[in-house]
């Protein structure tokens, strides 16, 4: 296990996918800030956390890149031949993906808010904005983990980057669009959706539905990792 974690950490340090994706989405936010789409750092922060689609799509691309490359390169056969357990390989990849995605979720709003504070200023104080950003990050992170679990499962099952990315992108668009479109008609059910709760906490609203949604998200994450492990254990490499 320790050896696999070291191997994944080495790949994380020497891979550029995360930073390229972060640069692209941060550039799009920078354009919005410079064109006056947001009026202040506070408005920028709220808008970014309400719009879950951008970080979700970014993490779809990230999952397809880092989780499938070892299938095509043949390095997984090398790991197994050297005595590493398949469950250790899956777990190490999971840690790599969750850590990278969480870093992306934190740095994206941090960069945008910092830029907005410099260009447009703050309504309260910069310290208050930073404090709120940390709070929103901590509150939203477990809600995203269930979504990331689905992407992890798709990548492990499909094993091919382009196809895994296509399936995850389609699933993301369908789920986000469906949830937002039918929320008013199906409030009783959809209020527990992580997508809805991410938007709610950005508005400063936390209810019992949030905690149920977190539990639901973590359950999805656990199930997806377990299924991924079972699938990988029976995959012929």
């Amino acid at each position: 296990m320790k050896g696999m974690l070291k191997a994944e950490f080495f790949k994380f340090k020497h891979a550029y996918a995360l930073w390229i994706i972060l640069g692209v989405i941060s550039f799009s936010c920078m354009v919005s800030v410079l064109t006056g789409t947001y009026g202040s750092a506070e408005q920028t922060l709220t808008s970014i956390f309400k719009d879950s689609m951008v970080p979700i799509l970014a993490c779809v691309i990230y999952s397809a890149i880092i989780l499938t490359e070892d299938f095509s390169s043949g390095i997984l056969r090398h790991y197994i031949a050297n005595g590493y357990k398949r469950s250790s390989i899956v777990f190490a990849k999971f840690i790599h993906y969750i850590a990278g995605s969480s870093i992306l979720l934190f740095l994206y709003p941090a960069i945008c808010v910092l830029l907005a504070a410099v260009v447009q200023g703050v309504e309260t104080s910069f310290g208050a904005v930073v404090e709120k950003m940390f709070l929103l990050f901590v509150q939203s992170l477990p809600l995203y983990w269930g979504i990331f679990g689905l992407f992890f499962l798709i990548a492990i099952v499909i094993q091919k980057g382009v196809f895994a990315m296509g399936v995850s992108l389609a699933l993301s668009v369908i789920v986000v669009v469906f949830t937002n479109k039918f929320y008013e008609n199906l409030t009783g059910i959809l209020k527990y959706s992580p997508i809805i709760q991410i938007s709610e906490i950005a508005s400063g609203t936390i209810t019992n539905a949030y905690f149920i949604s977190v539990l639901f998200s973590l359950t999805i994450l656990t199930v997806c990792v377990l299924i991924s492990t079972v699938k990988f254990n029976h995959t012929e490499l």
Side-chain angles (χ1 to χ4, degrees), residues 150-184:
L150 291 173
F151 299 156
F152 182 81
L153 173 61
I154 290 171
I156 297 298
V157 169
I158 296 179
Q159 301 177 10
K160 297 187 180 298
V162 174
F163 294 132
M165 187 184 302
V167 172
S168 294
L169 284 173
L171 177 64
S172 302
V173 172
I174 291 171
V175 170
V176 173
V177 170
F178 174 86
T179 301
N180 291 327
K181 184 175 180 61
F182 294 99
Y183 176 57
E184 291 186 3

Side-chain angles (χ1 to χ4, degrees), residues 6-113:
K6 284 184 176 180
E8 290 297 323
F9 181 66
F10 177 83
K11 285 191 287 186
F12 174 77
K13 289 195 301 181
H14 292 82
Y16 299 103
L18 176 65
W19 312 114
I20 292 173
I21 294 169
L22 177 62
V24 171
I25 61 176
S26 297
F27 178 78
S28 64
C29 179
M30 180 184 70
V31 172
S32 297
V33 170
L34 294 177
T35 55
T37 302
Y38 311 119
S40 65
E42 287 86 349
Q43 292 180 25
T44 302
L45 179 62
T46 301
S47 297
I48 286 174
F49 273 95
K50 275 190 173 183
D51 184 11
S52 59
M53 181 61 85
V54 173
I56 286 175
L57 294 183
C59 290
V60 164
I61 299 171
Y62 184 58
S63 68
I65 294 174
I66 69 160
L67 295 174
T68 62
E69 59 181 353
D70 287 349
F71 285 100
S72 57
S73 68
I75 195 172
L76 293 177
R77 288 192 294 271
H78 172 74
Y79 288 151
I80 294 172
N82 281 274
Y84 289 106
K85 294 182 179 180
R86 291 188 176 225
S87 58
S88 298
I89 296 173
V90 173
F91 182 74
K93 286 193 166 297
F94 168 72
I95 295 299
H96 180 176
Y97 175 56
I98 286 295
S101 298
S102 299
I103 290 172
L104 185 65
L105 284 179
F106 176 75
L107 290 181
Y108 169 55
I111 292 172
C112 296
V113 167

Side-chain angles (χ1 to χ4, degrees), residues 30 67 74 93 122 153 162 174 186 194 216-217 232 234-236:
M30 180 184 70
L67 295 174
K93 286 193 166 297
V122 296
L153 173 61
V162 174
I174 291 171
L186 300 171
F216 177 57
S217 179
F232 186 68
H234 293 84
T235 297
E236 186 174 336

Side-chain angles (χ1 to χ4, degrees), residues 46 132 136 139 199-206:
T46 301
K132 182 179 179 181
L136 290 177
Q139 291 172 340
S199 179
E200 289 292 310
I201 62 173
S203 302
T205 304
I206 289 190

